[in-house]
Amino acid sequence: QKEVEQNSGPLSVPEGAIASLNCTYSDRGSQSFFWYRQYSGKSPELIMSIYSNGDKEDGRFTAQLNKASQYVSLLIRDSQPSDSATYLCAVRKGGGADGLTFGKGTHLIIQP
Amino acid sequence: GAVVSQHPSRVICKSGTSVKIECRSLDFQATTMFWYRQFPKQSLMLMATSNEGSKATYEQGVEKDKFLINHASLTLSTLTVTSAHPEDSSFYICSAKVGEGQFFGPGTRLTVL
């Protein structure tokens, strides 16, 4: 089982709609969870971080964490064409290990 | 947000040569930096954790003698790919730890001929 799993997509969403991105992780000891956006040929850009169960909202973005289900999601409201990118889910295990484990990413396409 | 720079952004070299990549935190001090590698259509893979003033911690399967890491100051970490081969061609990205998160540099695309 892969440590961090994401559906690679592409996920196609009409402009103005809600894009829903999902991620599962295998290590129950994981403590910190991040969503990064990566445009083709560029490095990742941090969008959201979440550390406790529940929802966390920042502008058009909402991150959701359910540790019991080992599930993290990202909702993007009022999707814009500029949101088209690959979204990477990353997990930090804790216990002194600071490096991040990334999923392969979901390719999101916002259709004008 | 915190700004991390990398140099060079792109490098092409011949097989057998060594390549040094620099990672700098521009407006903050970074005790801990990380080096990742990303092959086409793959996820970022952590190579090593670089701690200022001490030896780097390498992930399983990463050869420490091939990928030399030096973190001599609080704003600079370097990765040297020694005796590079075509299979080392990849996108190398550094990041700096800021609080609980990490901010990434723009990456270095290495092509080994």
Side-chain angles (χ1 to χ4, degrees):
Chain A
Q1 181 186 8
K2 293 179 182 176
E3 294 190 62
V4 181
E5 292 207 58
Q6 295 180 256
N7 188 322
S8 61
L11 174 65
S12 188
V13 173
E15 183 176 357
I18 296 175
S20 178
L21 303 163
N22 304 313
C23 170
T24 58
Y25 59 95
S26 61
D27 188 338
R28 281 197 175 275
S30 300
Q31 298 187 352
S32 307
F33 307 87
F34 306 88
W35 283 100
Y36 285 86
R37 177 173 61 197
Q38 187 176 28
Y39 294 110
S40 181
K42 303 295 184 182
S43 66
E45 172 190 7
L46 180 65
I47 297 177
M48 294 279 291
S49 59
I50 188 166
Y51 310 114
S52 54
N53 282 328
D55 295 0
K56 179 181 178 182
E57 186 175 320
D58 184 0
R60 296 188 295 115
F61 300 96
T62 299
Q64 299 173 316
L65 174 61
N66 184 325
K67 288 187 178 181
S69 300
Q70 296 175 235
Y71 175 89
V72 195
S73 67
L74 179 70
L75 300 177
I76 306 175
R77 288 181 298 282
D78 188 23
S79 298
Q80 303 297 310
S82 58
D83 294 327
S84 298
T86 297
Y87 287 79
L88 305 173
C89 174
V91 173
R92 186 174 75 85
K93 293 182 181 180
D98 283 334
L100 298 179
T101 301
F102 282 85
K104 291 181 75 171
T106 298
H107 182 43
L108 175 65
I109 299 171
I110 306 301
Q111 295 178 321
Chain B
V3 179
V4 178
S5 71
Q6 267 184 256
H7 178 80
S9 58
R10 185 179 296 268
V11 58
I12 300 173
C13 69
K14 292 182 179 180
S15 184
T17 60
S18 294
V19 174
K20 179 189 276 189
I21 303 170
E22 293 185 348
C23 176
R24 293 182 185 274
S25 57
L26 295 186
D27 51 359
F28 65 101
Q29 293 182 331
T31 306
T32 303
M33 291 183 171
F34 305 91
W35 287 96
Y36 294 83
R37 179 167 56 180
Q38 186 177 33
F39 292 107
K41 299 192 185 301
Q42 300 295 315
S43 64
L44 276 76
M45 296 296 293
L46 178 65
M47 300 176 67
T49 301
S50 170
N51 295 299
E52 187 269 335
S54 64
K55 291 184 179 179
T57 303
Y58 291 81
E59 295 299 300
Q60 191 172 11
V62 178
E63 300 175 58
K64 62 180 181 180
D65 294 331
K66 180 171 181 63
F67 299 100
L68 302 179
I69 291 172
N70 185 286
H71 194 156
S73 79
L74 287 170
T75 59
L76 174 64
S77 175
T78 60
L79 169 68
T80 301
V81 183
T82 62
S83 186
H85 291 284
E87 58 266 30
D88 298 323
S89 298
S90 188
F91 191 41
Y92 290 86
I93 314 173
C94 72
S95 71
K97 185 180 180 207
V98 180
E100 288 292 314
Q102 296 180 24
F103 285 87
F104 285 83
T108 297
R109 189 160 302 281
L110 170 64
T111 302
V112 185
L113 302 176

